[in-house]
Amino acid sequence: MYALIVSNVSFLTAVPPVIVKLAEPEQRLDTCIEFTVWGYPQPQLRWFHKQKEIIENDYIRTEMGFYQDYLEGCLTFQNPTHINNGNYTLEASNAMGTVTKTVYGHFLENPDEPVTPPHSGPPDEDTFGVSIAVGLAGFACVLLLVLFVLINKYGRRSKFGMKGPVAVISGEEDSASPLHHVNHGIITPCTLDAGPDAVVIGMTRIPVVENPQYFRHGHNCNKPATLVQHIKRRDIILKRELGEGAFGKVFLAECYNLSPTKDKMLVAVKTLKDPNLSARKDFQREAELLTNLQHDHIVKFYGVCVDGDPLIMVFEYMKHGDLNKFLRAHGPDAMILVDGQPLQSNGELGLSQMLHIATQIASGMVYLASQHFVHRDLATRNCLVGNGLLVKIGDFGMSRDIYSSDYYRVGGHTMLPIRWMPPESIMYRKFSTESDVWSFGVILWEIFTYGKQPWFQLGNNEVIECITQGRVLERPRICPKEVYDIMLGCWQREPQQRLNIKDIQKVLFAMGKATPVYLDILG
Ligand code: ADP
């Protein structure tokens, strides 16, 4: 059973379970009998089919989420046949009582039997027996509680906006927070398409999902497959290691026959060693995705090399590496070491350079938003710096091995960049252009702190508590009020109230033009 979420804080009094919804099977990704159960403490669920309790396995399993007082989810079937036809009884129980409800599930005709209409007869005797014993008591509860459920479900949403304990808490605390006046929007928890991994930290469930956009390209029957350019292995000469990525090492290389004007050029190549099938698929997806994203502030992707091992992706070389390292190297504490001795400062970034960096990232994001692409992992570590303070968004992977302290490990191997994530992404894994805007606010904060880690003084659990309770990062010492106002505009709790990336880009551009360049650190 996936994704059981338990809140450790609740303001509810105990209530017996109510099966608010139990729908007939419906074909989704898998076939689903959708249910909603209400009750507190969290009801335990059991399913019955043909006199027997269902033991979950790969083919039949429950996928659900518990949001304060609602259990919502699916009894999911993989490739059901006529053997699965029949009544399905859901039994929900907690310390306050037990209720059941039955629904008929018709999947396929039995090829060996004449067809009988599914709803014509009484329910299966046995399951009917199970349900009737507790059903009457449950029915009384249902009647009494239906009104309360409705008030609770809709009334509370309009008062606190979001369902779930975090919304309740944020209503109580942080009256000084710049966000406290914001009305929270209704965010429907996406339990039904829940991925296989989820963790519970404090009060918060962190679900784990793949970025669905990786499936947009080449996997759509109506769209021609993306043509990823192939580069010959003999045309790539590795020179030195640049860094370590999620897939494998990143190297500086020379690449022949790439440019029509030069016979060779410097490139950065990302390698993927000994890929298993799923890693190959990820690789292919990222390559297709990158081929389709082309903009002045998105790192240029040249193609792949897949003849032999390792698999290689070829990118334009960005001389100054990732933006986070760059910011740190151009902060007040950075020194160039000469013969192991700190000697000379690298040159501190000034306000106009910071604004220039931020404007370029915003411009890349305006493009991503225009492509309806949600990045989900915007941070300075995923931007690259080239000649002349040229900055590009440079990374479209999701799981990370380097900068590992920036990610929260969930469900085995998946890492989430919680310090850059808004409350709705942390709580309900809702990612959107607006959640990218939140991350952009954090990028601004990183820029104006010369690459500090957001919430560096806090552990991951504390960060989650802080963000979900509505706290925001403080104004960096050197950050002008106008820029901090943009950050606050990115960190509005309600996604629709956040600033629009186009407007942010315009304002930053205008500020940059009005700010004199007083230190030219890069040629
Ligand atoms: P992954 O996407 O696999 O996590 P990254 O893109 O984060 O890999 O790359 C790891 C490191 O390699 C970066 O932090 C950066 O220092 C370096 N790097 C990556 N791409 C380039 C590039 N195009 N030009 C220069 N350095 C790069």
Side-chain angles (χ1 to χ4, degrees):
M1 198 181 292
Y2 297 151
L4 262 182
I5 307 104
V6 184
S7 145
N8 63 4
V9 176
S10 176
F11 301 95
L12 288 175
T13 48
V15 264
V18 178
I19 298 174
V20 180
K21 177 176 184 176
L22 186 64
E24 285 182 8
E26 194 187 326
Q27 181 64 47
R28 298 184 181 177
L29 217 57
D30 288 320
T31 306
C32 156
I33 294 184
E34 190 184 341
F35 62 87
T36 305
V37 176
W38 184 70
Y40 188 82
Q42 180 187 339
Q44 297 298 311
L45 302 188
R46 292 163 77 197
W47 290 93
F48 295 90
H49 178 235
K50 295 190 178 165
Q51 302 179 3
K52 277 204 198 116
E53 184 173 353
I54 295 173
I55 309 297
E56 299 199 6
N57 54 41
D58 284 350
Y59 300 99
I60 304 184
R61 63 188 191 281
T62 312
E63 291 177 1
M64 63 182 179
F66 186 51
Y67 292 92
Q68 188 165 336
D69 45 354
Y70 290 91
L71 265 173
E72 294 175 311
C74 278
L75 179 65
T76 300
F77 299 78
Q78 232 181 60
N79 305 325
T81 68
H82 66 277
I83 294 170
N84 301 97
N85 291 350
N87 281 338
Y88 284 83
T89 299
L90 170 60
E91 179 194 281
S93 48
N94 67 10
M96 303 301 293
T98 301
V99 286
T100 62
K101 202 166 187 170
T102 300
V103 67
Y104 185 80
H106 180 74
F107 299 91
L108 285 178
E109 302 301 340
N110 183 347
D112 303 328
E113 276 177 17
V115 179
T116 44
H119 292 285
S120 56
D124 292 356
E125 251 176 76
D126 36 16
T127 48
F128 186 68
V130 171
S131 58
I132 205 158
V134 278
L136 286 173
F139 184 67
C141 283
V142 171
L143 282 180
L144 277 172
L145 291 169
V146 147
L147 193 62
F148 187 41
V149 168
L150 290 173
I151 290 167
N152 188 294
K153 187 161 180 166
Y154 299 106
R156 178 123 45 93
R157 270 181 181 176
S158 58
K159 187 171 164 204
F160 295 111
M162 243 179 286
K163 282 205 287 181
V166 178
V168 175
I169 289 167
S170 64
E172 287 191 340
E173 286 190 0
D174 268 29
S175 57
S177 151
L179 305 179
H180 83 280
H181 62 280
V182 175
N183 287 329
H184 303 162
I186 296 170
I187 294 179
T188 314
C190 317
T191 55
L192 301 177
D193 56 344
D197 297 316
V199 291
V200 180
I201 304 144
M203 295 174 302
T204 308
R205 167 190 187 247
I206 299 201
V208 180
V209 278
E210 277 194 84
N211 190 340
Q213 292 175 101
Y214 285 149
F215 296 97
R216 284 197 329 161
H217 303 287
H219 297 266
N220 179 344
C221 306
N222 302 321
K223 224 183 139 186
T226 301
L227 275 182
V228 176
Q229 188 180 342
H230 283 251
I231 295 165
K232 293 194 179 75
R233 194 162 295 264
R234 64 161 191 265
D235 284 342
I236 301 168
I237 315 289
L238 299 187
K239 290 182 82 73
R240 71 178 162 86
E241 194 178 317
L242 290 172
E244 185 95 36
F247 283 132
K249 288 193 159 66
V250 181
F251 294 94
L252 173 67
E254 277 175 351
C255 192
Y256 288 81
N257 303 318
L258 199 55
S259 153
T261 52
K262 291 186 242 163
D263 88 305
K264 65 173 180 180
M265 62 189 285
L266 282 179
V267 292
V269 301
K270 288 191 186 182
T271 57
L272 174 61
K273 265 191 102 51
D274 305 325
N276 58 25
L277 190 62
S278 114
R280 266 182 186 276
K281 278 188 186 159
D282 284 348
F283 183 90
Q284 178 67 20
R285 280 199 298 244
E286 188 164 342
E288 287 171 6
L289 183 90
L290 287 161
T291 303
N292 283 303
L293 294 175
Q294 292 175 27
H295 184 262
D296 287 350
H297 295 289
I298 305 289
V299 73
K300 216 194 209 91
F301 174 64
Y302 292 121
V304 293
C305 172
V306 288
D307 52 340
D309 184 56
L311 301 182
I312 287 177
M313 281 186 190
V314 181
F315 293 88
E316 75 180 295
Y317 173 54
M318 300 287 282
K319 186 171 151 195
H320 296 287
D322 79 71
L323 175 60
N324 187 266
K325 242 185 276 161
F326 180 84
L327 290 167
R328 287 169 190 254
H330 293 89
D333 308 328
M335 289 288 190
I336 292 177
L337 296 182
V338 176
D339 295 332
Q341 298 295 312
L343 202 72
Q344 175 200 345
S345 166
N346 247 338
E348 239 174 89
L349 286 174
L351 177 59
S352 82
Q353 280 104 11
M354 291 177 163
L355 291 170
H356 185 51
I357 292 170
T359 308
Q360 295 175 76
I361 299 169
S363 162
M365 286 177 63
V366 170
Y367 168 75
L368 292 181
S370 75
Q371 301 297 299
H372 306 287
F373 181 85
V374 180
H375 188 290
R376 318 205 315 172
D377 194 13
L378 288 166
T380 57
R381 67 182 166 274
N382 288 331
C383 298
L384 291 162
V385 187
N387 266 338
L389 207 57
L390 176 65
V391 177
K392 302 192 179 194
I393 299 170
D395 195 347
F396 295 83
M398 188 61 198
S399 61
R400 295 287 167 268
D401 293 329
I402 52 155
Y403 288 109
S404 57
S405 68
D406 286 349
Y407 293 85
Y408 191 89
R409 189 178 286 279
V410 292
H413 64 278
T414 306
M415 317 269 267
L416 287 178
I418 50 164
R419 291 164 198 268
W420 285 259
M421 282 161 62
E424 78 274 8
S425 305
I426 291 177
M427 294 189 296
Y428 305 118
R429 74 191 167 133
K430 271 201 76 129
F431 291 92
S432 58
T433 297
E434 290 78 27
S435 65
D436 277 353
V437 165
W438 177 290
S439 308
F440 181 77
V442 183
I443 287 182
L444 270 182
W445 187 91
E446 287 184 274
I447 294 171
F448 281 85
T449 56
Y450 297 99
K452 282 211 170 94
Q453 188 192 44
W455 305 107
F456 56 89
Q457 66 282 35
L458 302 180
N460 285 329
N461 287 358
E462 292 164 316
V463 170
I464 288 166
E465 299 280 350
C466 254
I467 295 173
T468 54
Q469 285 177 18
R471 302 239 164 81
V472 294
L473 292 158
E474 278 172 17
R475 181 165 76 89
R477 203 176 41 80
I478 60 156
C479 175
K481 184 185 170 300
E482 292 79 1
V483 177
Y484 190 57
D485 283 343
I486 297 179
M487 293 184 205
L488 295 179
C490 297
W491 298 331
Q492 293 292 314
R493 191 178 183 99
E494 164 62 57
Q496 298 313 321
Q497 300 212 350
R498 287 177 204 150
L499 291 174
N500 172 299
I501 191 64
K502 241 187 196 160
D503 296 338
I504 295 175
Q505 197 268 346
K506 276 189 204 145
V507 171
L508 286 170
F509 181 72
M511 277 183 194
K513 268 177 72 175
T515 310
V517 182
Y518 56 86
L519 189 65
D520 197 13
I521 57 150
L522 285 172

